[in-house]
Amino acid sequence: MGSPIATVQLHRSHAGPIAAGHPWVFAQAVARTVGDPQAGDEVRVVDPTDKVLGRGFWSPDSAIVVRLLTRDGDQALDASLFERRVRDAVALRKQIDLPNHETTGYRLVHAEGDGVPGLIVDVYGDVLVVQLLTVGIVQRKALIVDALVAALGPRSVVVGGSGASGRKPEGDAVEGELLYGEPVDALRFRERGLQFSL
């Protein structure tokens, strides 16, 4: 059995936006922590009355110390959660006909927009490029790769740079690192019928 999950309690003046749906907990919003969370650990976020507001990963060196992945305080942030989020992202893109014959390059997972803060996944044909932007996501990259491979069966999964996202990555993700499959010499894809090679 693992260690108890630490609790992050918010100041009364900062709990409202989180309760209303905002997914970010800024450092100044934290009144106290119960337990000793380490960077990347799961934490439960509560308001001043101990009402559970959600669960996310602890990022003590970031201005945003928790990005919530779920509003359910009992839901583990485990392999099954990542599998569901990736499947949901794939299903959502299918609703807008991605991929299709003319477009094989698109964003599959867009962080908070797809319920996985700290993770961006771009599809370039049969290669997936991931941005791992929080220490909690970096620590779970194997689970994320497993979920992506199960859902999409790519030829390769590689770590991309985070410059376009405007976020400074946390953890030890290395740009260009091959996480799965064959080495990649170029990214080849179509967008609206135009062929690209990067």
Side-chain angles (χ1 to χ4, degrees):
M1 184 172 176
S3 302
I5 293 173
T7 297
V8 175
Q9 188 175 60
L10 305 184
H11 290 290
R12 188 173 306 280
S13 59
H14 291 271
I18 307 302
H22 199 290
W24 293 355
V25 176
F26 289 94
Q28 64 267 28
V30 177
R32 66 185 184 120
T33 58
V34 179
D36 183 27
Q38 302 301 301
D41 284 355
E42 290 184 44
V43 293
R44 186 177 288 111
V45 176
V46 301
D47 73 6
T49 68
D50 287 328
K51 178 183 177 183
V52 175
L53 301 177
R55 200 156 163 168
F57 298 129
W58 182 241
S59 293
D61 297 326
S62 172
I64 305 169
V65 292
V66 183
R67 291 177 170 90
L68 296 178
L69 279 82
T70 179
R71 296 292 167 165
D72 182 348
D74 295 321
Q75 181 177 6
L77 307 182
D78 57 10
S80 63
L81 179 134
F82 289 113
E83 289 164 5
R84 286 194 305 275
R85 296 291 161 83
V86 169
R87 285 197 308 265
D88 289 348
V90 170
L92 186 60
R93 273 58 182 185
K94 284 183 178 177
Q95 289 179 15
I96 56 172
D97 194 30
L98 288 174
N100 59 56
H101 178 69
E102 291 196 335
T103 298
T104 61
Y106 60 97
R107 180 149 289 176
L108 174 67
V109 177
H110 199 173
E112 285 82 358
D114 288 295
V116 196
L119 176 66
I120 292 174
V121 181
D122 291 314
V123 177
Y124 296 99
D126 58 1
V127 175
L128 304 181
V129 177
V130 299
Q131 294 178 42
L132 308 168
L133 301 170
T134 69
V135 63
I137 291 294
V138 170
Q139 290 175 1
R140 289 156 182 86
K141 63 186 176 184
L143 299 181
I144 292 164
V145 169
D146 287 347
L148 291 168
V149 170
L152 294 167
R155 176 170 59 93
S156 304
V157 180
V158 298
V159 176
S162 59
S165 73
R167 292 185 184 175
K168 181 180 179 183
E170 304 169 21
D172 59 358
V174 178
E175 183 174 351
E177 179 184 357
L178 180 65
L179 301 179
Y180 171 83
E182 307 169 12
V184 177
D185 60 348
L187 300 172
R188 298 179 179 87
F189 62 99
R190 294 187 301 278
E191 189 171 344
R192 298 184 180 184
L194 299 175
Q195 188 75 36
F196 293 89
S197 182
L198 304 176

